[in-house]
Amino acid sequence: MNEGGRFHRRHLLAEARRHLALVLRGRRRDPGLDDQVVAAAISTRPMSPPP
């Protein structure tokens, strides 16, 4: 993991986009919805650095 957890956030963002693409199947989505999903995931379950 790199400084500030940027890799973790970018990975979650990619997974959120992949999931939304599967769930919405071509339907329009609100701009920033993927960022909202990631922010909610991080705020409810913060990652601690590995031991």
Side-chain angles (χ1 to χ4, degrees):
M1 180 183 272
N2 60 9
E3 63 187 65
R6 281 184 283 168
F7 173 78
H8 179 249
R9 178 168 172 69
R10 288 178 62 185
H11 177 72
L12 286 176
L13 192 55
E15 288 296 319
R17 288 178 178 150
R18 184 187 66 78
H19 176 74
L20 289 172
L22 282 171
V23 170
L24 297 177
R25 291 186 215 132
R27 290 180 284 171
R28 293 187 61 125
R29 61 179 169 89
D30 295 333
L33 181 59
D34 47 358
D35 284 317
Q36 291 174 10
V37 169
V38 170
I42 291 174
S43 70
T44 58
R45 194 153 187 207
M47 290 292 295
S48 58

